[in-house]
Amino acid sequence: MHCCNLLLTFVAFIFCVISLCNGKPHIVVILADDYGYNDIGYHAKFHHSDMKTPFLDSLAMSGIKLENYYVQPICSPSRSQLMSGRYQIHTGLQHSVIKPTQANGLPLDNIILPEQLRQCGYDTHMVGKWHLGFYENSYLPWNRGFNSYFGYLTGGEDYYTKYRCWTKDCCGFDMDSNEGPTNETYGEYSAHLFARKAKEAIDKTDKSKPMFLYIALQSVHSPMEVPDSYLKPFEHIKDYNRMMYGGMVAAMDEAIKNITDHLKSANMWNDTILIFSADNGGQTLSGGNNWPLRGRKATLWEGGVRGVGFVHSEALKLPKPNYKSNKEMIHISDWFPTIMSASNCPLVNNTQPLDGFDQWQTISKYAPSKRSEILHNIDPLFTPLYTGTKFKGNTVRMGFDTSVHAGIRSDDWKLLTGEQGDDRWIEPPEWNQTESWVSPLENPEHPGFPTNSDPAKLVRLFNIANDPYERLEVSERYPDIVDTLLVKLAAYNATAVPVRYPPLDPNSNPKYHGGFWGPWEK
Ligand SMILES: *[C@@H]1O[C@H](CO)[C@@H](O)[C@H](O)[C@H]1NC(C)=O
Ligand SMILES: *[C@@H]1O[C@H](CO)[C@@H](O)[C@H](O)[C@H]1NC(C)=O
Ligand SMILES: *[C@@H]1O[C@H](CO)[C@@H](O)[C@H](O)[C@H]1NC(C)=O
Ligand SMILES: *[C@@H]1O[C@H](CO)[C@@H](O)[C@H](O)[C@H]1NC(C)=O
Ligand SMILES: *[C@@H]1O[C@H](CO)[C@@H](O)[C@H](O)[C@H]1NC(C)=O
Ligand SMILES: *[C@@H]1O[C@H](CO)[C@@H](O)[C@H](O)[C@H]1NC(C)=O
């Protein structure tokens, strides 16, 4: 008993010494793009994946792995929640991503994280992929709280040329900064470029202030591109995308090592809280893997939304070994209030109610999560491939239209409605499978049939605590739980704002803007 109290006092003492108590830590958030559950070394080694991340593993092992951590299934939505702390139903970004040709963005009435931190005395910098809208100047990252910015305004560029085509007549270079667009980095692989720019940001940060640095890497999104020198350890992988992806992951691991080395030489590392997160699940069509989770990027299956994440801080080296994995439920929308709390910063001008929770005690002191529920999404514009034609009858149950693509998690239960996209369990292609092996890939809802055999099923229920791989659909066994979750979805839906999803705007074409993607209004 005594020794535990002593231990706690000691932990509290460490926190104060390392300036997390009264002072303000540096905050570094690193977002990896399309990085799958089975693509980080510490998961890979248990799930037949050959991905190797020695540096990320060492950071996570000496930090805290978040092992009940959720993100959104695609790019702009996850980023919007990270920056605003709010669900997409409250920002209008329920549907798809922000396309480069759309006059759309994360609404300006959200005072986002960098602006909040800047008003609290932080020097704020961003390097990498924005993807939260740029059609008007006011949506650009340096007009939303970042003192400096260097990176991609949209997504899906070439790693070397930074070229991005929307249609064959609508192409341009995507590399912008608070000093204007630039073509000077043409040819430089983006993992190296963004590591270099992150180091420059660290060098130029005002040393009398705490720093907020947001690094949104292009790695490891498609296209499959990486310098050959990273491919050696993966040459045995026969699947081309997976082999290339291995190299891309290795380059990312090295980039993050370089950035942290620079924080050390700048004498900032001991005062830094580093947060690493995937933006969504792996894209199995482009080398990523989420085995043994079901589904992939762009689905609400666990493979789309259960994210890789960890926190590292020298000050978080807590003594108990079993503290290394945090199994509390944490969601990407929680970072906004959590970072504000870790920095001792008040929310200013905040007229918008947050959906995220302050999880700082959950992360730093192992307090129970403040969250028992996650709204995965309600997307009224999701295009059903099969059910749209099949279900013309009344699909409303407990006030919620079950033909609409939606998902909610509440305690152990997860309810999915509408069509859910790719619902397979996709093995890592490099799995040699020499041992005799019974495939679990047939649809457990319909033994003997492949998955996707029953797209017309509009309501699906899983107990994620007992069945994290979503093998056993139990909606017929627990109709009351289905009803309870539908009532919750209906209540969320009642608070939703209209979806912002404007049509293509021809004025967005880079040919009118010097060959670059950039704002075309104001
Ligand atoms: C598959 O076999 C190769 C060659 O023996 C080996 O290097 C690799 O680690 C194996 N991969 C897995 C996932 O078992
Ligand atoms: C990391 O730094 C080393 C040494 O400066 C350099 O050779 C390498 O290219 C860098 N890698 C990345 C991804 O930035
Ligand atoms: C960081 O803290 C450790 C342990 O207290 C100390 O040994 C090291 O010198 C510190 N490093 C810097 C760069 O301040
Ligand atoms: C917040 O409010 C203060 C005081 O009213 C104002 O000076 C500041 O510009 C506002 N910040 C934002 C981002 O609206
Ligand atoms: C959400 O609410 C709107 C407005 O009441 C309604 O039109 C829509 O059908 C509801 N969506 C679902 C999925 O029930
Ligand atoms: C960028 O540089 C490349 C290579 O020199 C060139 O082909 C391209 O036209 C340049 N783009 C712009 C917008 O200047």
Side-chain angles (χ1 to χ4, degrees), residues 191-192 195 230 251 254-255 258:
H192 298 82
Y230 293 95
E254 184 183 283
N258 286 3

Side-chain angles (χ1 to χ4, degrees), residues 84-102:
S84 73
R86 303 179 70 217
Y87 288 152
Q88 290 143 253
I89 57 163
H90 295 142
T91 56
L93 299 176
Q94 294 92 317
H95 183 62
S96 189
V97 297
I98 296 171
K99 309 243 153 92
T101 51
Q102 280 177 319

